[in-house]
Each structure stands twice: as structure tokens, then as C-alpha cells.
PDB file of all heavy atoms in Angstrom:
ATOM      1  N   GLN A  25      13.054  20.731  13.352  1.00 89.00           N
ATOM      2  CA  GLN A  25      13.472  21.735  14.311  1.00 89.00           C
ATOM      3  C   GLN A  25      12.316  22.039  15.260  1.00 89.00           C
ATOM      4  O   GLN A  25      11.212  22.369  14.829  1.00 89.00           O
ATOM      5  CB  GLN A  25      13.925  23.012  13.628  1.00 89.00           C
ATOM      6  CG  GLN A  25      14.518  24.017  14.547  1.00 89.00           C
ATOM      7  CD  GLN A  25      15.237  25.178  13.824  1.00 89.00           C
ATOM      8  OE1 GLN A  25      15.083  25.305  12.606  1.00 89.00           O
ATOM      9  NE2 GLN A  25      15.870  26.025  14.605  1.00 89.00           N
ATOM     10  N   LYS A  26      12.636  21.952  16.530  1.00 88.00           N
ATOM     11  CA  LYS A  26      11.615  22.232  17.562  1.00 88.00           C
ATOM     12  C   LYS A  26      11.548  23.709  17.827  1.00 88.00           C
ATOM     13  O   LYS A  26      12.346  24.525  17.309  1.00 88.00           O
ATOM     14  CB  LYS A  26      11.997  21.474  18.865  1.00 88.00           C
ATOM     15  CG  LYS A  26      11.983  20.013  18.751  1.00 88.00           C
ATOM     16  CD  LYS A  26      12.328  19.325  20.077  1.00 88.00           C
ATOM     17  CE  LYS A  26      12.317  17.871  19.997  1.00 88.00           C
ATOM     18  NZ  LYS A  26      12.697  17.240  21.295  1.00 88.00           N
ATOM     19  N   LYS A  27      10.522  24.148  18.603  1.00 90.00           N
ATOM     20  CA  LYS A  27      10.304  25.549  18.895  1.00 90.00           C
ATOM     21  C   LYS A  27      11.502  26.144  19.670  1.00 90.00           C
ATOM     22  O   LYS A  27      11.801  27.285  19.497  1.00 90.00           O
ATOM     23  CB  LYS A  27       9.034  25.733  19.712  1.00 90.00           C
ATOM     24  CG  LYS A  27       7.777  25.510  18.892  1.00 90.00           C
ATOM     25  CD  LYS A  27       6.543  25.755  19.752  1.00 90.00           C
ATOM     26  CE  LYS A  27       5.263  25.475  18.930  1.00 90.00           C
ATOM     27  NZ  LYS A  27       4.041  25.690  19.656  1.00 90.00           N
ATOM     28  N   ASP A  28      12.142  25.287  20.451  1.00 91.00           N
ATOM     29  CA  ASP A  28      13.298  25.806  21.247  1.00 91.00           C
ATOM     30  C   ASP A  28      14.538  25.896  20.438  1.00 91.00           C
ATOM     31  O   ASP A  28      15.637  26.271  20.943  1.00 91.00           O
ATOM     32  CB  ASP A  28      13.462  24.968  22.503  1.00 91.00           C
ATOM     33  CG  ASP A  28      13.871  23.532  22.161  1.00 91.00           C
ATOM     34  OD1 ASP A  28      13.982  23.157  21.006  1.00 91.00           O
ATOM     35  OD2 ASP A  28      14.082  22.739  23.159  1.00 91.00           O
ATOM     36  N   GLY A  29      14.498  25.520  19.148  1.00 90.00           N
ATOM     37  CA  GLY A  29      15.676  25.601  18.244  1.00 90.00           C
ATOM     38  C   GLY A  29      16.453  24.276  18.155  1.00 90.00           C
ATOM     39  O   GLY A  29      17.343  24.222  17.295  1.00 90.00           O
ATOM     40  N   SER A  30      16.175  23.357  18.960  1.00 91.00           N
ATOM     41  CA  SER A  30      16.933  22.060  18.925  1.00 91.00           C
ATOM     42  C   SER A  30      16.372  21.274  17.744  1.00 91.00           C
ATOM     43  O   SER A  30      15.277  21.468  17.268  1.00 91.00           O
ATOM     44  CB  SER A  30      16.721  21.310  20.232  1.00 91.00           C
ATOM     45  OG  SER A  30      15.410  20.920  20.413  1.00 91.00           O
ATOM     46  N   ILE A  31      17.224  20.342  17.268  1.00 90.00           N
ATOM     47  CA  ILE A  31      16.864  19.480  16.134  1.00 90.00           C
ATOM     48  C   ILE A  31      16.536  18.081  16.706  1.00 90.00           C
ATOM     49  O   ILE A  31      17.246  17.583  17.501  1.00 90.00           O
ATOM     50  CB  ILE A  31      18.045  19.408  15.162  1.00 90.00           C
ATOM     51  CG1 ILE A  31      18.522  20.817  14.696  1.00 90.00           C
ATOM     52  CG2 ILE A  31      17.778  18.476  14.006  1.00 90.00           C
ATOM     53  CD1 ILE A  31      17.881  21.295  13.463  1.00 90.00           C
ATOM     54  N   SER A  32      15.511  17.560  16.131  1.00 89.00           N
ATOM     55  CA  SER A  32      15.084  16.218  16.495  1.00 89.00           C
ATOM     56  C   SER A  32      15.020  15.343  15.225  1.00 89.00           C
ATOM     57  O   SER A  32      14.639  15.874  14.159  1.00 89.00           O
ATOM     58  CB  SER A  32      13.734  16.257  17.148  1.00 89.00           C
ATOM     59  OG  SER A  32      13.229  14.968  17.435  1.00 89.00           O
ATOM     60  N   LEU A  33      15.361  14.085  15.320  1.00 88.00           N
ATOM     61  CA  LEU A  33      15.293  13.196  14.168  1.00 88.00           C
ATOM     62  C   LEU A  33      13.917  12.414  14.278  1.00 88.00           C
ATOM     63  O   LEU A  33      13.622  11.836  15.315  1.00 88.00           O
ATOM     64  CB  LEU A  33      16.419  12.196  14.148  1.00 88.00           C
ATOM     65  CG  LEU A  33      17.796  12.829  14.034  1.00 88.00           C
ATOM     66  CD1 LEU A  33      18.848  11.736  14.078  1.00 88.00           C
ATOM     67  CD2 LEU A  33      17.934  13.622  12.722  1.00 88.00           C
ATOM     68  N   VAL A  34      13.212  12.396  13.160  1.00 87.00           N
ATOM     69  CA  VAL A  34      11.913  11.720  13.170  1.00 87.00           C
ATOM     70  C   VAL A  34      11.987  10.654  12.079  1.00 87.00           C
ATOM     71  O   VAL A  34      12.409  10.887  10.941  1.00 87.00           O
ATOM     72  CB  VAL A  34      10.734  12.668  12.811  1.00 87.00           C
ATOM     73  CG1 VAL A  34       9.456  11.942  12.675  1.00 87.00           C
ATOM     74  CG2 VAL A  34      10.670  13.790  13.895  1.00 87.00           C
ATOM     75  N   GLU A  35      11.616   9.437  12.488  1.00 86.00           N
ATOM     76  CA  GLU A  35      11.684   8.278  11.533  1.00 86.00           C
ATOM     77  C   GLU A  35      10.242   7.991  11.057  1.00 86.00           C
ATOM     78  O   GLU A  35       9.336   7.909  11.854  1.00 86.00           O
ATOM     79  CB  GLU A  35      12.198   7.087  12.292  1.00 86.00           C
ATOM     80  CG  GLU A  35      12.497   5.874  11.420  1.00 86.00           C
ATOM     81  CD  GLU A  35      13.159   4.795  12.165  1.00 86.00           C
ATOM     82  OE1 GLU A  35      14.368   4.976  12.575  1.00 86.00           O
ATOM     83  OE2 GLU A  35      12.525   3.764  12.400  1.00 86.00           O
ATOM     84  N   THR A  36      10.098   7.895   9.707  1.00 86.00           N
ATOM     85  CA  THR A  36       8.775   7.622   9.123  1.00 86.00           C
ATOM     86  C   THR A  36       8.916   6.358   8.230  1.00 86.00           C
ATOM     87  O   THR A  36       9.791   6.308   7.428  1.00 86.00           O
ATOM     88  CB  THR A  36       8.363   8.845   8.242  1.00 86.00           C
ATOM     89  OG1 THR A  36       8.404  10.017   9.062  1.00 86.00           O
ATOM     90  CG2 THR A  36       6.907   8.618   7.780  1.00 86.00           C
ATOM     91  N   ALA A  37       8.001   5.452   8.401  1.00 88.00           N
ATOM     92  CA  ALA A  37       7.968   4.244   7.557  1.00 88.00           C
ATOM     93  C   ALA A  37       7.622   4.615   6.118  1.00 88.00           C
ATOM     94  O   ALA A  37       6.771   5.460   5.884  1.00 88.00           O
ATOM     95  CB  ALA A  37       6.964   3.248   8.128  1.00 88.00           C
ATOM     96  N   SER A  38       8.323   4.009   5.210  1.00 86.00           N
ATOM     97  CA  SER A  38       7.967   4.170   3.799  1.00 86.00           C
ATOM     98  C   SER A  38       6.665   3.417   3.502  1.00 86.00           C
ATOM     99  O   SER A  38       6.305   2.505   4.292  1.00 86.00           O
ATOM    100  CB  SER A  38       9.049   3.593   2.869  1.00 86.00           C
ATOM    101  OG  SER A  38      10.240   4.275   3.035  1.00 86.00           O
ATOM    102  N   GLU A  39       5.982   3.788   2.470  1.00 89.00           N
ATOM    103  CA  GLU A  39       4.785   3.061   2.077  1.00 89.00           C
ATOM    104  C   GLU A  39       5.201   1.674   1.648  1.00 89.00           C
ATOM    105  O   GLU A  39       6.086   1.493   0.877  1.00 89.00           O
ATOM    106  CB  GLU A  39       4.106   3.830   0.941  1.00 89.00           C
ATOM    107  CG  GLU A  39       2.770   3.266   0.572  1.00 89.00           C
ATOM    108  CD  GLU A  39       2.082   4.089  -0.495  1.00 89.00           C
ATOM    109  OE1 GLU A  39       2.102   5.347  -0.393  1.00 89.00           O
ATOM    110  OE2 GLU A  39       1.451   3.522  -1.395  1.00 89.00           O
ATOM    111  N   LEU A  40       4.525   0.669   2.211  1.00 90.00           N
ATOM    112  CA  LEU A  40       4.859  -0.714   1.878  1.00 90.00           C
ATOM    113  C   LEU A  40       4.408  -1.000   0.462  1.00 90.00           C
ATOM    114  O   LEU A  40       3.218  -0.896   0.109  1.00 90.00           O
ATOM    115  CB  LEU A  40       4.097  -1.663   2.885  1.00 90.00           C
ATOM    116  CG  LEU A  40       4.384  -3.146   2.697  1.00 90.00           C
ATOM    117  CD1 LEU A  40       5.860  -3.395   3.077  1.00 90.00           C
ATOM    118  CD2 LEU A  40       3.481  -3.961   3.593  1.00 90.00           C
ATOM    119  N   PRO A  41       5.359  -1.318  -0.444  1.00 94.00           N
ATOM    120  CA  PRO A  41       4.956  -1.603  -1.820  1.00 94.00           C
ATOM    121  C   PRO A  41       4.172  -2.916  -1.916  1.00 94.00           C
ATOM    122  O   PRO A  41       4.506  -3.887  -1.232  1.00 94.00           O
ATOM    123  CB  PRO A  41       6.312  -1.739  -2.556  1.00 94.00           C
ATOM    124  CG  PRO A  41       7.332  -1.975  -1.494  1.00 94.00           C
ATOM    125  CD  PRO A  41       6.796  -1.462  -0.214  1.00 94.00           C
ATOM    126  N   THR A  42       3.167  -2.945  -2.709  1.00 93.00           N
ATOM    127  CA  THR A  42       2.308  -4.101  -2.873  1.00 93.00           C
ATOM    128  C   THR A  42       2.185  -4.448  -4.346  1.00 93.00           C
ATOM    129  O   THR A  42       2.403  -3.612  -5.248  1.00 93.00           O
ATOM    130  CB  THR A  42       0.900  -3.914  -2.303  1.00 93.00           C
ATOM    131  OG1 THR A  42       0.292  -2.839  -3.063  1.00 93.00           O
ATOM    132  CG2 THR A  42       0.934  -3.575  -0.829  1.00 93.00           C
ATOM    133  N   PHE A  43       1.819  -5.712  -4.642  1.00 95.00           N
ATOM    134  CA  PHE A  43       1.621  -6.103  -6.041  1.00 95.00           C
ATOM    135  C   PHE A  43       0.387  -5.406  -6.588  1.00 95.00           C
ATOM    136  O   PHE A  43       0.330  -5.157  -7.785  1.00 95.00           O
ATOM    137  CB  PHE A  43       1.484  -7.618  -6.097  1.00 95.00           C
ATOM    138  CG  PHE A  43       2.846  -8.320  -6.062  1.00 95.00           C
ATOM    139  CD1 PHE A  43       3.411  -8.627  -4.810  1.00 95.00           C
ATOM    140  CD2 PHE A  43       3.522  -8.593  -7.215  1.00 95.00           C
ATOM    141  CE1 PHE A  43       4.657  -9.220  -4.776  1.00 95.00           C
ATOM    142  CE2 PHE A  43       4.778  -9.213  -7.172  1.00 95.00           C
ATOM    143  CZ  PHE A  43       5.349  -9.539  -5.947  1.00 95.00           C
ATOM    144  N   ALA A  44      -0.573  -5.107  -5.735  1.00 94.00           N
ATOM    145  CA  ALA A  44      -1.785  -4.382  -6.208  1.00 94.00           C
ATOM    146  C   ALA A  44      -1.429  -3.001  -6.710  1.00 94.00           C
ATOM    147  O   ALA A  44      -1.867  -2.547  -7.755  1.00 94.00           O
ATOM    148  CB  ALA A  44      -2.811  -4.281  -5.078  1.00 94.00           C
ATOM    149  N   ALA A  45      -0.506  -2.349  -5.956  1.00 95.00           N
ATOM    150  CA  ALA A  45      -0.062  -0.982  -6.361  1.00 95.00           C
ATOM    151  C   ALA A  45       0.776  -1.040  -7.631  1.00 95.00           C
ATOM    152  O   ALA A  45       0.655  -0.211  -8.512  1.00 95.00           O
ATOM    153  CB  ALA A  45       0.704  -0.340  -5.259  1.00 95.00           C
ATOM    154  N   PHE A  46       1.604  -2.111  -7.763  1.00 96.00           N
ATOM    155  CA  PHE A  46       2.466  -2.226  -8.972  1.00 96.00           C
ATOM    156  C   PHE A  46       1.512  -2.546 -10.175  1.00 96.00           C
ATOM    157  O   PHE A  46       1.691  -1.910 -11.271  1.00 96.00           O
ATOM    158  CB  PHE A  46       3.434  -3.359  -8.840  1.00 96.00           C
ATOM    159  CG  PHE A  46       4.264  -3.518 -10.104  1.00 96.00           C
ATOM    160  CD1 PHE A  46       5.236  -2.584 -10.458  1.00 96.00           C
ATOM    161  CD2 PHE A  46       4.106  -4.639 -10.863  1.00 96.00           C
ATOM    162  CE1 PHE A  46       5.963  -2.752 -11.585  1.00 96.00           C
ATOM    163  CE2 PHE A  46       4.853  -4.827 -12.022  1.00 96.00           C
ATOM    164  CZ  PHE A  46       5.791  -3.876 -12.415  1.00 96.00           C
ATOM    165  N   ALA A  47       0.515  -3.402 -10.020  1.00 95.00           N
ATOM    166  CA  ALA A  47      -0.413  -3.682 -11.103  1.00 95.00           C
ATOM    167  C   ALA A  47      -1.149  -2.413 -11.547  1.00 95.00           C
ATOM    168  O   ALA A  47      -1.286  -2.165 -12.718  1.00 95.00           O
ATOM    169  CB  ALA A  47      -1.398  -4.762 -10.637  1.00 95.00           C
ATOM    170  N   ARG A  48      -1.563  -1.620 -10.539  1.00 95.00           N
ATOM    171  CA  ARG A  48      -2.248  -0.392 -10.853  1.00 95.00           C
ATOM    172  C   ARG A  48      -1.350   0.574 -11.646  1.00 95.00           C
ATOM    173  O   ARG A  48      -1.826   1.252 -12.557  1.00 95.00           O
ATOM    174  CB  ARG A  48      -2.769   0.265  -9.580  1.00 95.00           C
ATOM    175  CG  ARG A  48      -3.637   1.482  -9.773  1.00 95.00           C
ATOM    176  CD  ARG A  48      -4.236   2.035  -8.453  1.00 95.00           C
ATOM    177  NE  ARG A  48      -3.268   2.275  -7.463  1.00 95.00           N
ATOM    178  CZ  ARG A  48      -3.184   1.617  -6.275  1.00 95.00           C
ATOM    179  NH1 ARG A  48      -3.978   0.632  -6.021  1.00 95.00           N
ATOM    180  NH2 ARG A  48      -2.245   1.912  -5.420  1.00 95.00           N
ATOM    181  N   SER A  49      -0.030   0.609 -11.305  1.00 94.00           N
ATOM    182  CA  SER A  49       0.884   1.519 -12.000  1.00 94.00           C
ATOM    183  C   SER A  49       1.045   1.106 -13.470  1.00 94.00           C
ATOM    184  O   SER A  49       1.349   1.961 -14.314  1.00 94.00           O
ATOM    185  CB  SER A  49       2.240   1.522 -11.280  1.00 94.00           C
ATOM    186  OG  SER A  49       2.972   0.350 -11.551  1.00 94.00           O
ATOM    187  N   LEU A  50       0.845  -0.201 -13.764  1.00 94.00           N
ATOM    188  CA  LEU A  50       0.938  -0.605 -15.155  1.00 94.00           C
ATOM    189  C   LEU A  50      -0.401  -0.570 -15.874  1.00 94.00           C
ATOM    190  O   LEU A  50      -0.452  -0.669 -17.051  1.00 94.00           O
ATOM    191  CB  LEU A  50       1.486  -2.094 -15.223  1.00 94.00           C
ATOM    192  CG  LEU A  50       2.887  -2.358 -14.851  1.00 94.00           C
ATOM    193  CD1 LEU A  50       3.230  -3.842 -14.969  1.00 94.00           C
ATOM    194  CD2 LEU A  50       3.860  -1.538 -15.699  1.00 94.00           C
ATOM    195  N   GLY A  51      -1.455  -0.479 -15.087  1.00 93.00           N
ATOM    196  CA  GLY A  51      -2.797  -0.464 -15.684  1.00 93.00           C
ATOM    197  C   GLY A  51      -3.335  -1.874 -15.908  1.00 93.00           C
ATOM    198  O   GLY A  51      -4.087  -2.107 -16.839  1.00 93.00           O
ATOM    199  N   VAL A  52      -2.863  -2.821 -15.104  1.00 95.00           N
ATOM    200  CA  VAL A  52      -3.329  -4.238 -15.214  1.00 95.00           C
ATOM    201  C   VAL A  52      -3.860  -4.669 -13.860  1.00 95.00           C
ATOM    202  O   VAL A  52      -3.944  -3.888 -12.924  1.00 95.00           O
ATOM    203  CB  VAL A  52      -2.213  -5.140 -15.679  1.00 95.00           C
ATOM    204  CG1 VAL A  52      -1.648  -4.749 -17.056  1.00 95.00           C
ATOM    205  CG2 VAL A  52      -1.017  -5.157 -14.686  1.00 95.00           C
ATOM    206  N   THR A  53      -4.215  -5.924 -13.777  1.00 94.00           N
ATOM    207  CA  THR A  53      -4.734  -6.499 -12.510  1.00 94.00           C
ATOM    208  C   THR A  53      -3.680  -7.432 -11.873  1.00 94.00           C
ATOM    209  O   THR A  53      -2.765  -7.848 -12.576  1.00 94.00           O
ATOM    210  CB  THR A  53      -6.020  -7.300 -12.772  1.00 94.00           C
ATOM    211  OG1 THR A  53      -5.689  -8.409 -13.611  1.00 94.00           O
ATOM    212  CG2 THR A  53      -7.059  -6.464 -13.429  1.00 94.00           C
ATOM    213  N   GLN A  54      -3.895  -7.778 -10.633  1.00 94.00           N
ATOM    214  CA  GLN A  54      -3.015  -8.749  -9.958  1.00 94.00           C
ATOM    215  C   GLN A  54      -3.105 -10.091 -10.628  1.00 94.00           C
ATOM    216  O   GLN A  54      -2.158 -10.857 -10.643  1.00 94.00           O
ATOM    217  CB  GLN A  54      -3.418  -8.828  -8.494  1.00 94.00           C
ATOM    218  CG  GLN A  54      -3.001  -7.679  -7.686  1.00 94.00           C
ATOM    219  CD  GLN A  54      -3.229  -7.847  -6.213  1.00 94.00           C
ATOM    220  OE1 GLN A  54      -2.519  -8.552  -5.560  1.00 94.00           O
ATOM    221  NE2 GLN A  54      -4.356  -7.243  -5.663  1.00 94.00           N
ATOM    222  N   VAL A  55      -4.275 -10.444 -11.134  1.00 95.00           N
ATOM    223  CA  VAL A  55      -4.433 -11.684 -11.861  1.00 95.00           C
ATOM    224  C   VAL A  55      -3.531 -11.796 -13.022  1.00 95.00           C
ATOM    225  O   VAL A  55      -2.878 -12.824 -13.313  1.00 95.00           O
ATOM    226  CB  VAL A  55      -5.932 -11.895 -12.252  1.00 95.00           C
ATOM    227  CG1 VAL A  55      -6.087 -13.104 -13.164  1.00 95.00           C
ATOM    228  CG2 VAL A  55      -6.815 -11.991 -11.057  1.00 95.00           C
ATOM    229  N   GLN A  56      -3.401 -10.678 -13.760  1.00 95.00           N
ATOM    230  CA  GLN A  56      -2.479 -10.668 -14.904  1.00 95.00           C
ATOM    231  C   GLN A  56      -1.039 -10.781 -14.501  1.00 95.00           C
ATOM    232  O   GLN A  56      -0.240 -11.493 -15.099  1.00 95.00           O
ATOM    233  CB  GLN A  56      -2.669  -9.450 -15.745  1.00 95.00           C
ATOM    234  CG  GLN A  56      -2.009  -9.473 -17.081  1.00 95.00           C
ATOM    235  CD  GLN A  56      -2.476  -8.434 -18.056  1.00 95.00           C
ATOM    236  OE1 GLN A  56      -3.276  -7.539 -17.686  1.00 95.00           O
ATOM    237  NE2 GLN A  56      -1.962  -8.456 -19.230  1.00 95.00           N
TER     238      GLN A  56
END
């Protein structure tokens, strides 16, 4: 909601999932 009361739609990119992040979530390495 803007200051004037109108509503605006804002698009935000999701975080790009990576194998490094998945490995970290399991507590292992990408090599594993």
C-alpha cells in the first residue's frame, strides 16, 4: 500500500536453490 492509499503489486524473486545450500541443510558437502 502506497502513501496515497493505492495498492501496488511488487514482484520479488525467490532465492535460487543450489546444491550447496541443500548439502548445507543436510550437514554434508557437495562432493558427498
Side-chain angles (χ1 to χ4, degrees):
Q25 186 171 7
K26 295 181 180 180
K27 290 181 181 180
D28 64 359
S30 65
I31 304 267
S32 175
L33 298 178
V34 176
E35 190 173 290
T36 308
S38 297
E39 186 174 319
L40 184 67
T42 62
F43 282 86
F46 179 71
R48 188 174 53 246
S49 76
L50 291 180
V52 298
T53 64
Q54 289 185 73
V55 171
Q56 192 166 2

